[in-house]
């Protein structure tokens, strides 16, 4: 390995549903090193709604990942000029000293213990969400007309119902990205992204006292919202703004970095995917390399972040109200800009479920080991063979009698009903590998068709989406990406590293924090060049240069409220 790296660089941390990923990124956007560490999730064998995690476990995995990156790249801690986080929109609960508080139903709930995160996928708060959705509050206008049980307020209300008043009063409630900046700095400032997107903080008017009183959470307003966020938005920060005084001494030791390293205000993982992909340049056969897009042009691009679930992010200069689609949210990343967020509750998870529950799955795994190919490639080859043998033109025609509805874990958008369930119609009396291949294709097609449903709904409401920018693990699935291009009738642009796009967005927050901390808010803070990419389908392939537009100056705090 070469000598120690002293070039200025930035650390991004992405906390996903099942793992933590850290990356060290240069000013040019080049990743020097990356490390992924698995995290723990607890399930209740008697209640399939329950998904719980631990901030202690996640934080320790972050430390391992960052130290791995420093070691692998030879980067000196002094070269790291900024740190940024993104995470899933899960509810993290601590006391006011930062100690984790148990969220598991039972006698221990509200006491100190490891299981202190209600994961985004946890659906225990169905009754609480239904109560909220009967209020008719203005809050609902900014979540597509119906609040999801995946958001934080229904979960907080559930905790109040199952926790003693004494214990509940001692709790701090964080959207997970904000917990990470709190743990890093011990500053309790919250992000506009988390508060507006998941915590019922309304654009231009802030906290809605009447709403919290109406649903039975008057304690939050009576205490000046100290349990859920800063009073009247006083400490609400736009993405990348410096949090507190940077890394605390303890956090710096745990992460292997220097105290005082600037920490950028965090964002939800899907929004980091938007930041890391949406301004990419790409090439097609007819037009050549595209120009660096304007902020206005990026509004025609949908960022699809596809992992366990899929989120669909699009921005606009003014708020667009879309029934069944979350938002419009003001300032979640860029000051003065609005965003809508569609989503599918189960996509990667659905594909895994269809594969692993089929009787032929063990045979597929063994075949993959024998021929040393990914199982998805084997399935694609099997499907093509079946298509040719059947004498049909497309795989859709091959599976025309097999229909799969994908909402096995509820519908996030645009039907917005967590009680929706999936179905398969057209089953054959077969447990063969051929049957598994057909069900696999039907699953991919269902996911693509539902994406088309979401895009059509967004465009009908006033958006003008004309391309999809993918990131996340599913971007590796060439067959699925081609289906997106075909079904949605638009180009699908892929990053060269499908998993790295989101953590790149997090690293950008670290760079912004560094520039803002130095009084350099006039810079556009862009990550240029150094990355390759491809455009799916008939749009050809070429290199992609990544670029991120950010506020030209540090927004005033009152602009974020």
């Amino acid at each position: 390995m070469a000598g120690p790296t002293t070039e200025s660089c930035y650390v991004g941390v992405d906390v996903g549903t099942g793992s933590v990923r850290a990356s060290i990124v240069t000013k040019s956007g080049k990743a020097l090193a990356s490390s992924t560490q698995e995290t723990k999730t607890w399930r209740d064998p008697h209640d399939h709604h329950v998904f719980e995690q631990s901030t202690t476990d996640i934080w320790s995995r972050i430390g391992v990942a960052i130290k791995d990156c420093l070691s692998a790249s030879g980067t000196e801690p002094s070269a790291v000029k900024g740190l940024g986080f993104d995470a899933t929109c899960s509810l993290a609960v601590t006391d006011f000293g930062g100690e984790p508080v148990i969220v598991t139903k039972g006698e221990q709930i509200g006491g100190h213990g490891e299981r202190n995160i209600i994961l985004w996928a946890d659906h225990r708060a169905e009754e609480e969400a239904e109560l909220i959705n009967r209020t008719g509050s203005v809050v609902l206008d900014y979540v597509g007309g119906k609040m999801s049980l995946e958001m934080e307020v229904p979960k907080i209300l559930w905790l109040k119902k199952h926790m003693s008043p004494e214990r509940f009063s001692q709790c701090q409630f964080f959207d997970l990205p904000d917990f990470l900046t709190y743990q890093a700095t011990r500053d309790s400032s919250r992000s506009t992204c988390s508060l507006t997107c998941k915590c019922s903080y309304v654009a231009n008017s802030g906290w809605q006292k009447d709403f919290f009183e109406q649903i039975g959470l008057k304690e939050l307003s009576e205490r000046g919202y100290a349990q859920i966020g800063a009073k009247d938005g006083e400490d609400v920060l736009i993405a990348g703004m410096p949090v507190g005084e940077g890394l605390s001494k303890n956090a710096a030791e745990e992460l292997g970095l220097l105290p005082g390293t600037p920490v950028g205000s965090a964002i939800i993982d899907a929004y980091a995917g938007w930041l890391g992909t949406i301004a990419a340049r790409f090439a097609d056969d007819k037009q050549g390399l595209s120009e660096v897009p304007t902020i206005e042009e990026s509004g025609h691009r949908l960022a699809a972040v596809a992992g366990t679930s899929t989120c669909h992010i699009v921005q606009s200069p003014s708020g667009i109200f879309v029934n069944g689609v979350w938002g419009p949210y003001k300032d979640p990343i860029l000051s003065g800009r609005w965003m809508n967020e569609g989503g599918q509750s189960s996509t990667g998870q659905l594909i895994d479920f269809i594969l692993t529950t089929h009787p032929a799955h063990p045979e597929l795994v063994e075949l993959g080991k024998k021929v040393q190919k990914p199982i998805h490639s084997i399935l694609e080859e099997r499907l093509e063979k079946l298509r040719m043998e059947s004498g049909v033109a497309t795989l859709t025609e091959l599976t025309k009698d097999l229909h799969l509805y994908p909402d096995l874990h509820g519908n996030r958008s645009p039907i917005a009903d967590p009680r929706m369930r999936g179905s398969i119609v057209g089953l054959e009396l077969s447990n063969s590998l051929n049957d598994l291949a057909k069900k696999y294709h039907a699953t991919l097609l269902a996911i693509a068709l539902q994406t088309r449903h979401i895009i059509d709904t967004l465009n009908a409401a006033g958006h003008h989406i004309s391309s999809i920018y993918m990131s996340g693990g599913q971007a590796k699935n060439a067959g699925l990406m081609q289906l997106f291009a075909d079904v949605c009738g638009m180009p699908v642009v892929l990053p060269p590293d499908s998993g790295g796009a989101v953590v790149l967005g997090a690293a950008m927050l670290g760079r912004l924090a560094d520039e803002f901390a130095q009084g350099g808010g006039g810079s556009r803070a862009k990550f240029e060049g150094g990355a390759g990419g491809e455009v799916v389908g008939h749009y050809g392939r070429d290199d992609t240069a990544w670029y991120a537009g950010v506020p030209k100056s540090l927004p005033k705090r009152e602009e974020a409220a």
Side-chain angles (χ1 to χ4, degrees):
M1 183 175 67
T5 298
T6 58
E7 176 188 0
S8 294
C9 55
Y10 309 91
V11 170
V13 176
D14 167 41
V15 178
T17 300
S19 64
V20 163
R21 178 168 179 165
S23 186
I24 295 181
V25 179
T26 67
K27 283 187 176 182
S28 67
K30 178 183 178 181
L32 300 178
S34 183
S35 174
T36 300
Q37 304 291 321
E38 292 186 357
T39 54
K40 294 187 290 187
T41 299
W42 288 269
R43 301 294 309 277
D44 184 339
H46 306 294
D47 186 351
H48 70 278
H49 292 310
V50 172
F51 295 76
E52 295 174 352
Q53 293 186 333
S54 163
T55 57
T56 302
D57 173 60
I58 288 172
W59 189 253
S60 69
R61 297 294 89 198
I62 290 173
V64 171
I66 291 177
K67 290 175 182 177
D68 279 356
C69 289
L70 292 171
S71 176
S73 64
T75 300
E76 291 291 327
S78 59
V80 176
K81 303 303 182 182
L83 172 64
F85 296 95
D86 73 75
T88 65
C89 51
S90 302
L91 181 69
V93 186
T94 74
D95 64 17
F96 279 88
E99 293 298 314
V101 170
I102 296 171
V103 297
T104 307
K105 186 177 181 180
E107 292 183 0
Q108 292 186 317
I109 191 169
H112 290 135
E114 188 176 16
R115 293 169 62 168
N116 71 318
I117 295 175
I118 302 179
L119 192 66
W120 64 267
D122 190 296
H123 279 194
R124 71 182 69 180
E126 182 175 320
E127 291 183 5
E128 289 72 22
E130 289 179 350
L131 182 154
I132 290 170
N133 287 325
R134 291 195 296 266
T135 64
S137 170
V138 66
V139 164
L140 302 179
D141 293 342
Y142 291 86
V143 289
K146 183 183 291 187
M147 184 172 293
S148 170
L149 47 67
E150 295 180 8
M151 294 182 176
E152 311 307 5
V153 175
K155 293 172 181 173
I156 294 171
L157 185 55
W158 184 93
L159 288 171
K160 181 187 175 182
K161 290 182 177 180
H162 292 86
M163 196 181 292
S164 70
E166 294 77 17
R167 287 183 170 182
F168 185 81
S169 67
Q170 299 302 310
C171 292
Q172 289 190 96
F173 303 105
F174 295 90
D175 194 43
L176 184 55
D178 284 348
F179 168 81
L180 298 176
T181 58
Y182 170 76
Q183 184 75 357
T185 66
R186 273 302 185 258
D187 186 291
S188 60
S189 299
R190 308 300 175 97
S191 66
T192 308
C193 186
S194 283
L195 291 195
T196 59
C197 298
K198 305 302 172 187
C199 299
S200 301
Y201 187 82
V202 176
N204 298 324
S205 58
W207 300 114
Q208 305 298 302
K209 180 179 179 181
D210 292 347
F211 166 70
F212 287 105
E213 291 179 349
Q214 189 175 3
I215 66 173
L217 284 175
K218 66 178 181 179
E219 298 93 334
L220 300 185
S221 61
E222 288 175 348
R223 299 184 67 180
Y225 305 99
Q227 289 181 270
I228 192 173
K231 182 177 180 181
D232 299 326
E234 290 178 356
D235 294 306
V236 180
L237 307 179
I238 289 183
M241 292 173 66
V243 179
E245 300 300 320
L247 274 181
S248 68
K249 181 179 179 181
N250 286 341
E253 292 176 355
E254 292 165 343
L255 302 183
L257 300 173
L258 297 185
T261 301
V263 176
S265 180
I267 53 180
I268 297 163
D269 53 356
Y271 291 80
W274 183 92
L275 185 57
T277 61
I278 208 66
R281 300 173 67 194
F282 67 92
D284 63 32
D285 295 334
K286 295 181 179 180
Q287 298 180 358
L289 188 65
S290 66
E291 297 295 325
V292 173
T294 63
I295 292 296
E296 288 68 26
E297 169 60 26
S298 72
H300 303 304
R301 301 176 173 187
L302 181 79
V305 185
T308 303
S309 65
T310 299
C311 296
H312 310 86
I313 311 291
V314 60
Q315 67 92 1
S316 56
S318 58
I320 297 175
F321 293 84
V322 188
N323 287 336
V325 176
W326 297 344
Y329 301 130
K330 187 181 181 185
D331 303 335
I333 296 183
L334 302 178
S335 179
R337 309 296 291 195
W338 297 73
M339 287 181 160
N340 286 98
E341 178 184 353
Q344 295 159 280
S345 295
S346 183
T347 52
Q349 181 185 54
L350 174 64
I351 296 169
D352 289 343
F353 177 82
I354 294 298
L355 294 178
T356 58
T357 58
H358 195 281
H361 182 254
E363 178 186 354
L364 175 64
V365 173
E366 286 303 314
L367 182 57
K369 293 178 180 178
K370 181 179 179 180
V371 301
Q372 297 185 333
K373 288 183 178 181
I375 60 174
H376 296 89
S377 297
I378 294 173
L379 290 171
E380 289 168 3
E381 292 172 0
R382 180 63 61 102
L383 285 164
E384 181 60 20
K385 180 181 178 182
L386 289 171
R387 184 193 68 77
M388 294 180 66
E389 291 175 351
S390 300
V392 295
T394 66
L395 296 182
T396 301
E397 189 174 355
L398 175 69
T399 59
K400 65 183 178 64
D401 296 322
L402 181 63
H403 308 282
L404 184 143
Y405 185 75
D407 287 332
L408 276 66
H409 198 55
N411 181 280
R412 189 184 296 169
S413 302
I415 301 172
D417 186 349
R419 296 164 297 188
M420 294 286 288
R421 293 296 176 259
S423 65
I424 303 178
V425 177
L427 295 174
E428 297 179 77
L429 195 63
S430 173
N431 61 2
S432 67
L433 192 56
N434 286 349
D435 182 70
L436 174 55
K438 290 178 181 179
K439 287 189 173 71
Y440 168 73
H441 178 74
T443 303
L444 300 189
L445 182 58
I447 291 170
L449 286 166
Q450 191 170 66
T451 301
R452 169 68 180 268
H453 189 193
I454 291 168
I455 291 173
D456 286 350
T457 301
L458 287 164
N459 283 342
H463 287 286
H464 301 282
I465 296 165
S466 58
S467 57
I468 301 172
Y469 282 62
M470 296 291 305
S471 60
Q474 290 176 48
K476 297 177 182 178
N477 189 322
L480 179 58
M481 297 301 99
Q482 186 63 59
L483 276 173
F484 279 137
D486 293 341
V487 169
C488 298
M490 58 183 63
V492 178
V493 182
L494 303 180
D497 176 3
S498 60
V502 177
V503 77
L504 174 62
M508 291 178 182
L509 302 175
R511 178 167 181 182
L512 291 173
D514 177 40
E515 295 201 358
F516 288 150
Q518 296 182 42
S523 168
R524 296 198 66 178
K526 51 187 174 180
F527 285 75
E528 300 174 317
E534 64 180 59
V535 184
V536 172
H538 62 279
Y539 292 89
R541 299 183 178 185
D542 211 311
D543 287 340
T544 300
W546 299 99
Y547 170 94
V550 299
K552 292 185 178 181
S553 60
L554 181 63
K556 297 179 180 178
R557 288 188 171 180
E558 56 265 28
E559 291 178 343

